[in-house]
Amino acid sequence: MRRGGVILYPTDTVWGIGCDATNAEAVKRVYEIKQRDDSKALICLVDSDARMQRYFRQVPDVAWQLIDSLKDADSKPTTLILDGAVNLAENLIAEDGSVGMRITNEPFSKELCFRFQKAIVSTSANISGEPAAQNFCDIDQRILDAVDYVCWSRRQEHKPHTPSAIIKLKENGEVTIIRK
């Protein structure tokens, strides 16, 4: 990823396609691999509150409260869409200046984010419009052939996984639930 590579990896939700969230060329490749219109947003994973804070001009208090409430191991992984995104690839940031980001607590993806020391793109490992890959065995061969590296962790796993909840928090305090 440090050299612009694209990976396939297990996350706290479904299997994901990932890259350096600060590298516009790598982000472009992810859109191409997914055959997805680049007007549709991708989300990012980080390992900590501190890392998340690096990518927004200001994280609203309500976001910190929500993040604290989600630290329980039984909480559904939740992606927050926040305004004022900075220090990320321009083609990752929505037209309104927002970006979706999630602090992962799953051991593999958390360690990956920690070791990379940057936000990592995390979009479901599927061709746009097709079902998300819950497990490694669900990943389309076209995706496997297109990425530069496939992580070994959790390849044998066969259990149901679901995408994260998505909540949009506007700077003015408006809250919109995008996906439960």
Side-chain angles (χ1 to χ4, degrees):
M1 288 191 298
R2 293 194 197 289
R3 294 188 303 265
V6 175
I7 67 167
L8 198 55
Y9 68 111
T11 73
D12 53 344
T13 58
V14 296
W15 270 75
I17 302 171
C19 70
D20 178 350
T22 67
N23 182 323
E25 282 302 311
V27 171
K28 180 181 175 193
R29 278 195 59 216
V30 171
Y31 277 113
E32 290 168 354
I33 290 168
K34 280 188 68 78
Q35 301 173 25
R36 184 175 184 159
D37 187 321
D38 65 6
S39 67
K40 293 185 177 183
L42 301 175
I43 67 163
C44 302
L45 288 185
V46 291
D47 63 318
S48 67
D49 302 4
R51 187 112 39 233
M52 183 176 194
Q53 201 163 3
R54 293 181 188 177
Y55 299 107
F56 298 97
R57 280 192 282 281
Q58 180 173 347
V59 177
D61 289 339
V62 67
W64 293 125
Q65 293 166 6
L66 191 53
I67 289 166
D68 284 343
S69 73
L70 295 170
K71 288 185 177 174
D72 178 351
D74 294 332
S75 294
K76 179 175 179 141
T78 301
T79 300
L80 300 181
I81 300 174
L82 303 174
D83 292 331
V86 295
N87 303 320
L88 294 166
E90 287 184 21
N91 53 346
L92 192 59
I93 300 172
E95 284 185 23
D96 66 359
S98 68
V99 78
M101 194 166 286
R102 182 169 73 250
I103 300 170
T104 181
N105 289 314
E106 185 273 329
F108 180 82
S109 56
K110 188 174 188 78
E111 182 72 13
L112 181 66
C113 290
F114 174 76
R115 288 180 184 234
F116 191 59
Q117 296 285 299
K118 290 184 192 178
I120 297 174
V121 166
S122 181
T123 183
S124 57
N126 61 305
I127 302 296
S128 190
E130 294 181 6
Q134 294 184 35
N135 295 287
F136 178 76
C137 62
D138 301 324
I139 300 170
D140 187 296
Q141 189 63 46
R142 293 173 290 175
I143 301 280
L144 292 166
D145 293 342
V147 299
D148 300 307
Y149 182 77
V150 180
C151 295
W152 285 95
S153 181
R154 293 178 34 209
R155 284 193 186 188
Q156 301 305 316
E157 186 174 82
H158 292 282
K159 65 181 193 177
H161 294 276
T162 56
S164 69
I166 301 176
I167 299 174
K168 184 167 185 150
L169 303 174
K170 301 289 285 174
E171 287 177 342
N172 66 6
E174 182 183 328
V175 176
T176 306
I177 297 173
I178 307 291
R179 182 171 65 203
K180 288 185 178 187

